[in-house]
């Protein structure tokens, strides 16, 4: 607080000295001198109080360059009220401050190339294939939030609080959504003083129930005055440049911490380049600062989703500078706004590392073709841009949502949180489908390159199994995960189950080696004659799934 007060006094004193004229019109006019001194004192007090109030309320960084607007105003008025040499000096100061203000306001035109260099991504063709033995973190946040609200009765003094912002995190090896309990207003804060804890719910199991974790938090986003988390962080780090909202992160012991990304302006108080985080213990306000390379292991979202969204915008728009982004738009690609957190969607890879996903589309209206997609590491900020198979045209996330809307038009269901995966070697959109009340109805998978190939199921794994059949039926190649090995085995059929799906039949069968297999009559027409006791030779992909995908099959006696 003392540093903040000193900043306000220096700014107030400087503003008063510039505004109030020093030289009276007549040198012998002692009354004029006395009046100026009194006016100067009053101006110092008023400006100091004004600067203190504005910076306290806005949490603006306390670098002196942030005072440029005030400098323009007081220097202009100071030149107007003064005379002689003093007027000339203050006029020069006004012109200099005005030029500095113009420089700051137009910096976005000239630093576009620098922003693009900061955001520049490595380019690859396609992400690695999804491991079919895993379950994607595919519970949509809207559904998880609805479940938490219904469980809000677990919170003591419920009327004092409301549910805070939802975000995904990996805790003790499990993917969960977490949301803090926040104050519902000023008077509730005055009465409550601390919030009672946070909710957690599985991000992979839609049937899981939310759990309320009791842990008192004093410094929160919904607290007021010096207990507000943003103001508390600003008081501790008055000159830091922050971008993005504070986020709640839980360590493996269940203890909560608030973090906020800090960084640097690209140039002239414009743009943002993330450098690290400030972490606060909300129970006592203890604050620590970490560079990105030193962030504690339990923190998943060190780089705020807002910062990633901004970087995506730099990368997509400024490939040929600022003016091209507005007029010619050569090679410009626009990041999608379909993400769940600040237009990006958090996902996890096979190692449990979190990335922010964004797809890019053409700036041309009415085009739903995807130009590529990016994955940004949420701890390091390093990003990769995937072009996809350049021989194929991929549908973007908006196109996938439109297909779902048309598919369930009578029920008025909507897709939420579309994520692009590599399923069985096919770029595919996985999208949870919600009804009008926000309840999860199914999971819809559609090929990005062949939108006519789609499937849906009540769980992600069921949808994957049906999608595999749809790929086989549609003539697609089911290549499995990147680690799936192609094998051939012979055996006797123990059990057979046949299911009519569209124009073809899906055959599930069990061999005497206790392995289950799945094949479509689309790829193997003679499979419809399969029966118990047949001897078969099967070529399949060892994906580790319960039902292994068959590439080809020979039935003894039907060659």
């Amino acid at each position: 607080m003392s540093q903040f007060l000193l900043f306000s006094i220096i700014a107030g004193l400087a503003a008063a000295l510039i505004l109030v004229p020093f030289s009276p019109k007549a040198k012998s006019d002692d009354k004029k001198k006395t009046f100026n001194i009194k006016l100067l004192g009053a101006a110092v007090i008023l400006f100091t109080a004004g600067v203190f109030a504005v910076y306290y309320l806005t949490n603006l960084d306390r670098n002196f360059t942030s005072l440029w607007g005030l400098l323009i105003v007081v220097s202009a008025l100071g030149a107007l009220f003064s005379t002689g040499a003093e007027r000339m000096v203050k006029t020069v100061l006004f012109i200099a401050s005005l030029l500095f203000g113009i420089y700051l306001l137009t910096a976005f035109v000239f630093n576009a190339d620098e922003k693009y260099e900061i955001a520049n991504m490595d380019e690859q063709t396609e992400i690695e294939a999804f491991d079919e033995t895993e379950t994607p973190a595919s519970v949509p946040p809207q559904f998880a939030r609805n479940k938490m609200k219904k469980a809000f009765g677990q919170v003591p003094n419920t009327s004092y609080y409301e549910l805070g912002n939802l975000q995904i995190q990996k805790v003790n090896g499990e993917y969960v959504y977490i949301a803090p309990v926040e104050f519902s207003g000023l008077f509730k804060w005055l009465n409550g003083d601390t919030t009672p804890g946070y909710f957690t719910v599985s991000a992979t199991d839609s049937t899981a129930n939310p759990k309320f974790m009791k842990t008192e938090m004093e410094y929160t986003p919904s607290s007021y005055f010096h207990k507000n988390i943003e103001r508390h962080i600003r008081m501790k780090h008055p000159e830091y440049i922050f971008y993005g909202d504070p986020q709640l992160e839980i360590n493996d012991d269940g203890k909560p911490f608030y973090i906020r990304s800090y960084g640097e302006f690209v140039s002239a108080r414009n743009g943002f380049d993330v450098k690290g985080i400030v972490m606060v213990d909300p129970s006592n306000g203890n604050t620590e600062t970490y560079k990105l390379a030193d962030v504690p292991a339990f923190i998943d979202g060190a780089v705020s989703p807002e910062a990633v969204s901004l970087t995506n915008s730099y990368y997509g728009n400024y490939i040929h500078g600022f003016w091209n982004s507005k007029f010619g738009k050569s090679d410009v690609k626009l990041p999608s706004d379909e993400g769940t957190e600040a237009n990006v969607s958090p996902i996890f890879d096979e190692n449990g590392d979190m990335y922010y996903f964004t797809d890019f589309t053409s700036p041309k209206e009415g085009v739903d073709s995807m130009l590529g997609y990016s994955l940004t590491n949420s701890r390091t900020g390093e990003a990769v841009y995937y072009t996809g198979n350049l021989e194929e045209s991929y549908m973007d996330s908006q196109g996938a949502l439109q297909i779902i809307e048309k598919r369930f038009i009578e029920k008025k269901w909507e897709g939420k949180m579309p994520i692009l995966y590599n399923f069985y070697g096919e770029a595919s959109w996985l999208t949870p489908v919600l009804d009008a009340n926000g309840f999860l109805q199914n999971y819809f998978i559609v090929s990005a390159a062949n939108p006519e190939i789609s499937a849906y199921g009540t769980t992600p794994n069921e949808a994957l199994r049906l999608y595999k059949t749809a790929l086989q039926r549609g003539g697609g190649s089911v290549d499995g995960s990147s680690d799936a090995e192609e094998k051939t085995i012979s055996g006797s059929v123990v059990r057979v189950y046949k299911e009519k799906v569209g124009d073809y039949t899906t055959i599930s069968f069990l061999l005497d080696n206790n392995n289950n297999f799945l094949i479509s009559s689309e790829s193997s027409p003679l499979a419809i004659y399969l029966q118990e006791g047949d001897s078969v030779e099967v070529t399949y992909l060892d994906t580790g799934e319960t039902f292994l995908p068959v590439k080809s099959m020979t039935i003894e006696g039907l060659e």
Side-chain angles (χ1 to χ4, degrees):
M1 181 64 75
S2 59
Q3 188 176 2
F4 180 28
L5 185 60
L6 179 62
F7 172 85
S8 302
I9 292 173
I10 293 174
L13 178 61
L17 290 172
I18 296 171
L19 177 65
V20 177
F22 285 97
S23 302
K25 293 181 180 179
K27 293 184 179 180
S28 59
D29 192 351
D30 294 333
K31 291 184 178 179
K32 185 69 174 179
K33 288 182 179 180
T34 303
F35 176 76
N36 282 359
I37 292 174
K38 291 181 179 179
L39 182 61
L40 177 64
V44 169
I45 294 174
L46 289 175
F47 277 122
T48 298
V51 169
F52 185 94
V54 169
Y55 279 75
Y56 183 81
L57 293 174
T58 63
N59 291 319
L60 186 66
D61 66 278
R62 286 148 204 174
N63 296 287
F64 283 105
T65 56
S66 64
L67 293 164
W68 64 272
L70 176 64
L71 179 60
I72 292 174
V73 173
V74 297
S75 61
L77 294 175
L80 180 65
F81 296 149
S82 58
T83 59
E86 183 181 352
R87 170 173 284 184
M88 183 177 296
V89 171
K90 291 183 178 180
T91 299
V92 171
L93 181 59
F94 167 68
I95 294 173
S97 62
L98 183 62
L99 291 175
F100 182 66
I102 294 173
Y103 165 66
L104 294 180
L105 292 174
T106 59
F108 66 91
V109 176
F110 305 106
N111 64 9
D113 290 336
E114 191 175 353
K115 288 176 179 176
Y116 180 77
E117 288 302 318
I118 289 174
N120 201 9
M121 306 178 187
D122 293 333
E123 287 196 5
Q124 296 182 20
T125 303
E126 203 74 83
I127 55 175
E128 293 184 1
F130 181 77
D131 185 354
E132 297 89 344
T133 62
E134 300 292 331
T135 299
S138 52
V139 173
Q142 296 93 331
F143 177 66
R145 188 174 185 84
N146 282 344
K147 298 192 77 169
M148 289 180 180
K149 285 183 176 179
K150 292 183 180 302
F152 212 74
Q154 301 178 40
V155 179
N157 297 320
T158 306
S159 62
Y160 280 31
Y161 309 106
E162 61 187 15
L163 196 64
N165 292 331
L166 194 77
Q167 68 188 70
I168 196 170
Q169 191 184 347
K170 184 181 179 183
V171 180
N172 286 318
E174 296 183 359
Y175 305 127
V176 297
Y177 284 109
I178 55 175
V181 173
E182 298 282 5
F183 293 108
S184 58
L186 173 62
F187 294 106
K188 302 299 174 64
W189 172 73
L190 290 172
N191 291 327
D193 192 42
T194 62
T195 58
Y198 61 90
F199 278 96
T200 177
V201 68
S202 174
T204 58
D205 183 4
S206 61
T207 64
N209 292 318
K211 297 179 181 178
F212 175 66
M213 312 299 291
K214 292 183 179 180
T215 174
E216 290 190 352
M217 292 184 280
E218 191 171 353
Y219 295 84
T220 72
S222 59
S223 298
Y224 287 80
F225 306 118
H226 59 292
K227 296 294 181 68
N228 177 269
I229 191 70
E230 290 188 39
R231 184 165 293 114
H232 178 74
I233 293 174
R234 173 57 69 199
M235 290 294 185
K236 293 289 185 179
H237 302 283
E239 296 181 356
Y240 275 29
I241 309 303
F242 296 106
Y243 196 85
D245 297 327
Q247 298 185 100
L248 190 68
E249 294 271 349
I250 309 300
N251 68 13
D252 288 342
D253 296 325
K255 182 174 176 56
F257 293 88
Y258 274 103
I259 67 166
R260 197 176 189 195
S261 300
Y262 75 86
E264 300 173 347
F265 292 121
V266 174
S267 65
R269 294 188 62 82
N270 181 264
F272 181 77
D273 185 19
V274 64
K275 297 298 180 182
I277 67 164
V278 174
M279 184 175 75
V280 180
D281 184 340
S283 64
N284 54 31
N286 290 342
T287 305
E288 296 183 65
T289 303
Y290 298 94
K291 294 182 178 180
L292 287 182
D294 304 322
V295 169
F298 74 87
I299 291 177
D300 291 310
V303 182
S304 69
E306 292 88 351
V308 174
S309 185
L310 186 66
T311 302
N312 287 336
S313 177
Y314 295 161
Y315 181 73
N317 282 283
Y318 297 145
I319 185 170
H320 299 309
F322 173 79
W323 295 115
N324 179 71
S325 70
K326 298 298 181 183
F327 299 106
K329 298 189 177 181
S330 174
D331 297 323
V332 168
K333 40 190 176 288
L334 301 181
S336 167
D337 58 359
E338 297 295 340
T340 60
E341 295 183 18
N343 296 333
V344 298
S345 294
I347 62 173
F348 291 86
D349 67 4
E350 66 277 5
N351 299 317
D353 296 326
M354 192 169 88
Y355 289 81
Y356 292 114
F357 167 83
T358 309
D359 65 303
F360 291 74
T361 189
S362 170
K364 187 175 181 180
E365 293 186 8
V367 176
D368 60 2
S369 177
M370 184 176 68
L371 301 180
Y373 53 99
S374 68
L375 290 177
T376 304
N377 189 296
S378 62
R379 285 176 54 86
T380 66
E382 296 178 357
V384 177
Y385 181 77
Y386 297 90
T387 61
N389 188 340
L390 297 177
E391 296 180 356
E392 297 180 333
S393 179
Y394 285 177
M395 172 180 60
D396 65 9
S397 57
Q398 188 61 41
L401 293 177
Q402 289 173 357
I403 287 177
I404 293 172
E405 182 180 358
K406 292 177 181 177
R407 178 65 181 80
F408 303 106
I409 190 169
E410 293 182 357
K411 297 181 179 180
K412 298 182 179 180
W413 293 354
E414 292 183 326
K416 299 290 184 181
M417 196 179 75
I419 302 292
L420 192 72
Y421 288 92
N422 183 345
F423 289 141
Y424 312 111
E426 184 89 3
S428 311
W429 289 104
L430 170 63
T431 308
V433 179
L434 279 65
D435 63 20
N437 295 316
F439 291 105
L440 182 63
Q441 295 299 324
N442 61 51
Y443 292 90
F444 193 93
I445 305 178
V446 59
S447 169
N450 303 289
E452 68 276 4
I453 300 177
S454 64
Y456 60 91
T458 55
T459 67
N461 295 104
E462 180 186 357
L464 273 172
R465 180 176 64 82
L466 296 173
Y467 183 62
K468 181 194 301 181
T469 303
L471 282 172
Q472 292 175 321
R473 189 173 65 242
S477 62
V478 182
D479 294 331
S481 71
S482 56
D483 299 324
E485 180 183 356
E486 184 175 307
K487 295 182 178 180
T488 300
I489 191 173
S490 298
S492 177
V493 177
V494 178
R495 294 285 190 274
V496 179
Y497 176 75
K498 300 175 184 178
E499 180 183 9
K500 187 71 172 178
V501 180
D503 296 329
Y504 301 98
T505 301
T506 301
I507 299 96
S508 307
F509 60 96
L510 171 67
L511 290 187
D512 52 6
N513 65 354
N514 290 325
N515 280 340
N516 298 287
F517 298 91
L518 184 71
I519 191 170
S520 172
S521 61
E522 168 74 3
S523 58
S524 181
L526 295 181
I528 62 173
Y529 298 120
L530 188 68
Q531 59 187 6
E532 296 176 8
D534 281 345
S535 295
V536 296
E537 183 179 85
V538 178
T539 300
Y540 68 98
L541 293 169
D542 190 10
T543 61
E545 297 173 280
T546 302
F547 287 85
L548 301 171
V550 176
K551 297 194 71 174
S552 63
M553 179 177 66
T554 302
I555 304 174
E556 186 177 327
L558 294 180
E559 297 90 342

